[in-house]
Amino acid sequence: MSSATTPPVESIAQYLQAQAGLTHVCVAYSAGMDSHVLLHATAQLLHDHPDVSLRAIHIDHGLQTDSEQWVRHAEYVCDGLNVPLVVRRVEVSLGTDGPEASARLARYAAFADALHTGEQLMLAQHADDQAETFLMQALRGSGPDGLSSIPRKRTFAGGYMARPLLACTQQSIADYAQLNGLAWIDDPSNNDTRFDRNFIRREVLPLLRNRWPAATQTLSRSAMRSAAAVQTLNDVALEDLSLVRVKDSSELSISGLNALPRERCYNVVRLWVRQAGLRMPRLQDLRQLVTDLLLSREDALGIVNVRDYEFRRHRDELYLVVGATAANEAFEHQWAAPYDDLLIAETGQILSKAGCDAQGIKLPSQGSLTVRSRTGGELIKLGEPAFHKAVKKVLQEAAVPPWQRDAIPLLYNDGRLVAVWNIAVAIDFRVASEFA
């Protein structure tokens, strides 16, 4: 039997049997048909497995006027199946990515908060969903990473996110629901073809199936082949990333990136971004990265803004700059003896007495230090014989990127600069060496 026409109960059974050491399962139950079939079949399969606990979670987005009716239906169904139910209510803030993406982000955040360590969260996406996602990604011009579409299983929030129905068509799921007399609630928003996915589901896929009856299976197979290709590309990217990563740093070597073929360079950057937990850059972002940063002069100060983060260059290193780190807020704090840990709220840094000891900073036994950010023109007394050096020059020689310099704390005692935190200590405030 073709994997694309596997009956739901068989597909779920095969998935469960392949999970070594499975102890906790949570079904994402929306009260719709697909998730009802997933919950019903999973409950039947685990009935004789008391060593595996099963529960369900229902997310109330509050987007429908009758969402409370959905909650009551979920409670009724779960009570009939003797499955514990968790209900989480979320607020969907309509961001720039549209209502579908905003609802998904809110839903996934609730899933992550509710999931137990090692638990498997099972979602009801199926082969038709896979085909729709493949088409959507293709129309966006995605590469293999996007075309691989929906993964069958991946790590998620200390546990796993699984989709055991990906081998099943929508029709096979509907057949199961009818055969078992299941009742569900249809989401009216699923008929709104203003949304891209609904348009593909209601308008595009039926046309494709009329011409090519196996379109769903074929597109799903293409997604699986893309996923296999992505795995190979990721293996290569891991090797390349280990070669171009700056030693003892999270940054990348620009000369190392430039030595790679362009597509491998793109894959390394994508993997680097993914490991940082950030959304993927678009192809135009990567092209701009090459022209504005990788191929620019070493002293260039270009920025490539990718919505949630920035790529920046300093000398031969490429940086990921996230959120507020791109623009530092000025600060000034008093740090009094006996020098308990000092949090600089503007930057998130913590100054400690142990940190001073490690840098050889001689703290005054009484009074306090002023800790502030740079304002410009600062001098620090260094060397033997002593001389004054511009803090700007000290930071340049320490290879501190320009956008990080204003976040580095300067310590003052009665107006005299004691130290540039973790960079330099004034000669008059250094702990005398026992070997001097």
Side-chain angles (χ1 to χ4, degrees):
M1 178 179 289
S2 168
S3 61
T5 57
T6 304
V9 69
E10 182 178 332
S11 183
I12 298 168
Q14 290 173 354
Y15 178 82
L16 293 174
Q17 289 167 7
Q19 307 308 305
L22 181 67
T23 56
H24 295 82
V25 173
C26 179
V27 171
Y29 177 46
S30 68
M33 181 181 70
D34 301 340
S35 61
H36 195 165
V37 168
L38 175 61
L39 179 62
H40 185 274
T42 303
Q44 303 303 313
L45 289 166
L46 293 180
H47 183 267
D48 296 325
H49 294 273
D51 53 324
V52 180
S53 68
L54 172 64
R55 65 181 183 134
I57 181 169
H58 176 82
I59 307 298
D60 180 5
H61 300 87
L63 297 176
Q64 301 292 339
T65 55
D66 55 354
S67 63
E68 280 299 327
Q69 179 186 343
W70 296 14
V71 172
R72 290 194 296 272
H73 180 81
E75 291 171 340
Y76 173 79
V77 168
C78 288
D79 185 61
L81 293 172
N82 196 28
V83 174
L85 174 68
V86 175
V87 175
R88 290 294 177 94
R89 290 173 171 82
V90 299
E91 290 187 9
V92 178
S93 56
L94 300 181
T96 58
D97 294 328
E100 291 176 288
S102 299
R104 183 172 61 253
L105 287 173
R107 182 166 63 250
Y108 276 35
F111 286 153
D113 183 63
L115 201 64
H116 298 155
T117 301
E119 188 172 31
Q120 294 221 14
L121 175 69
M122 291 175 29
L123 278 65
Q125 280 101 342
H126 44 73
D128 293 62
D129 293 315
Q130 184 77 289
E132 294 163 9
T133 303
F134 181 89
L135 284 174
M136 289 177 66
Q137 294 292 352
L139 291 168
R140 292 168 180 162
S142 299
D145 204 14
L147 295 177
S148 60
S149 304
I150 306 172
R152 182 174 172 82
K153 179 183 177 183
R154 68 178 179 90
T155 57
F156 177 75
Y160 301 92
M161 180 176 284
R163 297 174 174 91
L165 294 178
L166 281 183
C168 308
T169 61
Q170 174 81 79
Q171 186 58 54
S172 70
I173 292 172
D175 291 344
Y176 180 98
Q178 183 176 7
L179 180 65
N180 289 274
L182 304 186
W184 60 88
I185 296 177
D186 288 318
D187 185 347
S189 68
N190 287 337
N191 297 318
D192 188 346
T193 55
R194 291 176 301 172
F195 299 131
D196 292 342
R197 181 175 291 276
N198 290 345
F199 179 77
I200 289 175
R201 178 181 302 154
R202 302 293 179 186
E203 304 289 342
V204 177
L205 271 177
L207 284 174
L208 292 178
R209 292 194 193 98
N210 284 338
R211 179 84 179 197
W212 297 281
T216 295
Q217 296 92 321
T218 303
L219 292 171
S220 295
R221 190 162 59 246
S222 293
M224 287 188 290
R225 287 177 174 171
S226 296
V230 167
Q231 184 57 57
T232 300
L233 291 172
N234 283 343
D235 291 342
V236 174
L238 278 170
E239 294 181 11
D240 288 340
L241 183 60
S242 67
L243 296 175
V244 303
R245 193 184 292 277
V246 177
K247 186 178 180 181
D248 300 324
S249 169
S250 59
E251 282 66 57
L252 303 186
S253 162
I254 286 177
S255 56
L257 288 170
N258 282 329
L260 293 172
R262 189 60 65 222
E263 285 300 326
R264 282 171 59 182
C265 172
Y266 289 166
N267 284 336
V268 167
V269 173
R270 288 190 186 101
L271 178 60
W272 183 46
V273 171
R274 185 184 302 115
Q275 288 182 345
L278 302 170
R279 75 166 87 186
M280 287 295 96
R282 300 161 297 183
L283 180 58
Q284 58 263 42
D285 298 325
L286 294 172
R287 287 174 173 166
Q288 186 183 357
L289 167 69
V290 170
T291 57
D292 292 6
L293 300 182
L294 300 192
L295 299 180
S296 64
R297 300 189 321 273
E298 186 173 306
D299 60 350
L301 297 176
I303 299 173
V304 175
N305 192 309
V306 190
R307 297 164 291 184
D308 304 329
Y309 56 92
E310 296 172 350
F311 293 114
R312 294 198 181 201
R313 173 176 184 157
H314 179 57
R315 298 184 180 179
D316 189 50
E317 296 182 10
L318 184 67
Y319 290 75
L320 267 179
V321 182
V322 182
T325 53
N328 296 299
E329 182 181 346
F331 58 86
E332 181 171 322
H333 302 274
Q334 295 301 311
W335 194 19
Y339 307 105
D340 295 330
D341 288 0
L342 172 68
L343 169 65
I344 302 177
E346 293 84 354
T347 66
Q349 294 169 287
I350 296 177
L351 274 56
S352 67
K353 189 174 184 300
C356 292
D357 293 341
Q359 297 172 63
I361 299 173
K362 183 171 62 178
L363 294 169
S365 58
Q366 297 179 346
S368 65
L369 297 177
T370 299
V371 179
R372 65 172 176 81
S373 53
R374 285 199 316 151
T375 58
E378 296 89 354
L379 299 174
I380 186 168
K381 190 176 180 182
L382 302 172
E384 293 182 8
F387 65 97
H388 286 88
K389 190 170 188 175
V391 169
K392 178 180 179 180
K393 186 68 173 176
V394 171
L395 294 173
Q396 289 174 342
E397 293 177 354
V400 178
W403 61 89
Q404 294 179 359
R405 293 173 188 171
D406 290 344
I408 294 178
L410 305 183
L411 279 60
Y412 285 86
N413 181 23
D414 291 332
R416 299 162 63 196
L417 183 53
V418 173
V420 181
W421 190 254
N422 277 332
I423 303 291
V425 180
I427 188 66
D428 295 341
F429 293 92
R430 287 198 63 85
V431 175
S433 171
E434 59 181 296
F435 301 107

